[in-house]
Amino acid sequence: KECTVANAECLNSKIDNLINLNDLSENAILHNLRIRFKENTIYTYVSSILISVNPFKLLPLYTPEMMNLYREGGTHGKPPHVFAVAAETFGAMVGEHKDQSVVVSGESGAGKSEATKLMLQFIADVSSRAGGGKKSAESGGLEQQILQANPLMEAFGNAKTVRNNNSSRFGKHFDIQFDEKGSILGAFTSIYLLEKPRITEHMKGERNYHV
C-alpha cells in the first residue's frame, strides 16, 4: 500500500519480501517445478540455488543468442539458466578477485554432466574474450583443451545403468586457474572418486565403464 505504480523499485522490493515469506515446503517447490516443466521452463531459482529438470528433449536453450544474453549486461532480470550461474561465478571471481565454487549435484539422469559441460563452455567462451580473443582455433587454446578432456573423463567414469545409458559413476573436484583479467591459465582435477566395484561386477542390465 505504501508503493505507487510509478515506483517500480519499491514494488519489486515488496514483491521480493512476499516471496521470501512464502512457505518453501517440499510440496510447494515440487508443484511449482511441475507447472514450469509442462511449460518447458526447466530452470528455477530457489534463493541462490538453480534447480534444473531434465526435459528429455531438445530445447532451444543453449544457442549462441542465449549465450550472448547472459554474457553481456549481467544476469539481473533474466530468466533462470545454467549460463546465469556460470556468468555470476565468473563475474564474482574477476570482480572480487576471490576463488569461486559451483556444486553440481542431483539424481542419476538429472543432467549433472550436461550442466557441467554447459558451464565449462560458457566460462571458456568468456575467458577467451577476456584474453582479447587472441587464441585461434588452430592454436589449440587451453579453453578447447579443457572442453575436449570431458569425453575422456566420461569414458573412464561413465557407465550404462538401468536408469541412464551414460551415467556418471564418479565424483570430481575440477579446478580452473585464471589470470587477473579472467583468461584461463590451466586446469586440473584435484579429487576423483570412482565407483570401484563396477570395474569387476555390475547389476543385471548394466555395464561397467565405457572404456
Side-chain angles (χ1 to χ4, degrees):
K1 294 180 180 179
E2 300 170 1
C3 295
T4 63
V5 175
N7 193 344
E9 184 176 348
C10 177
L11 284 170
N12 288 333
S13 175
K14 293 288 183 183
I15 292 170
D16 288 341
N17 288 334
L18 288 172
I19 292 172
N20 291 332
L21 290 173
N22 281 343
D23 176 26
L24 288 179
S25 65
E26 181 179 352
N27 287 339
I29 293 174
L30 290 175
H31 178 66
N32 185 267
L33 292 175
R34 185 183 299 112
I35 293 173
R36 293 171 66 81
F37 176 79
K38 290 179 179 179
E39 298 173 350
N40 289 327
T41 305
I42 65 169
Y43 291 117
T44 304
Y45 285 134
V46 177
S47 185
S48 60
I49 298 172
L50 177 70
I51 297 179
S52 63
V53 182
N54 191 337
F56 295 102
K57 61 182 176 182
L58 293 176
L59 296 174
L61 292 174
Y62 314 111
T63 62
E65 293 76 18
M66 190 67 73
M67 187 174 285
N68 288 335
L69 175 66
Y70 291 92
R71 185 195 301 120
E72 301 169 357
T75 60
H76 180 71
K78 297 175 183 177
H81 200 286
V82 66
F83 288 161
V85 175
E88 289 281 356
T89 305
F90 186 83
M93 180 198 67
V94 174
E96 301 173 12
H97 297 286
K98 292 182 179 179
D99 294 341
Q100 304 291 321
S101 295
V102 178
V103 178
V104 183
S105 65
E107 294 186 352
S108 178
K112 299 181 296 296
S113 296
E114 290 303 313
T116 302
K117 291 177 195 175
L118 290 164
M119 280 192 289
L120 286 175
Q121 289 172 6
F122 185 91
I123 290 173
D125 181 78
V126 295
S127 172
S128 178
R129 292 169 185 268
K134 296 178 181 178
K135 298 172 184 175
S136 64
E138 294 80 12
S139 68
L142 281 171
E143 294 90 351
Q144 290 305 311
Q145 291 182 42
I146 290 171
L147 295 177
Q148 290 167 8
N150 259 317
L152 183 64
M153 295 286 286
E154 290 192 7
F156 279 93
N158 284 20
K160 180 186 184 299
T161 68
V162 293
R163 296 182 61 181
N164 186 354
N165 287 337
N166 189 40
S167 182
S168 299
R169 301 288 89 193
F170 68 97
K172 65 179 177 180
H173 187 271
F174 191 62
D175 290 278
I176 308 177
Q177 292 83 41
F178 301 83
D179 63 17
E180 66 279 359
K181 295 180 180 179
S183 183
I184 291 178
L185 294 175
F188 67 97
T189 300
S190 59
I191 300 173
Y192 188 83
L193 304 173
L194 190 68
E195 188 186 90
K196 294 180 181 179
R198 181 170 294 275
I199 296 174
T200 57
E201 186 178 354
H202 47 82
M203 294 173 56
K204 183 179 180 180
E206 297 189 346
R207 293 199 300 263
N208 60 8
Y209 297 104
H210 296 331
V211 71

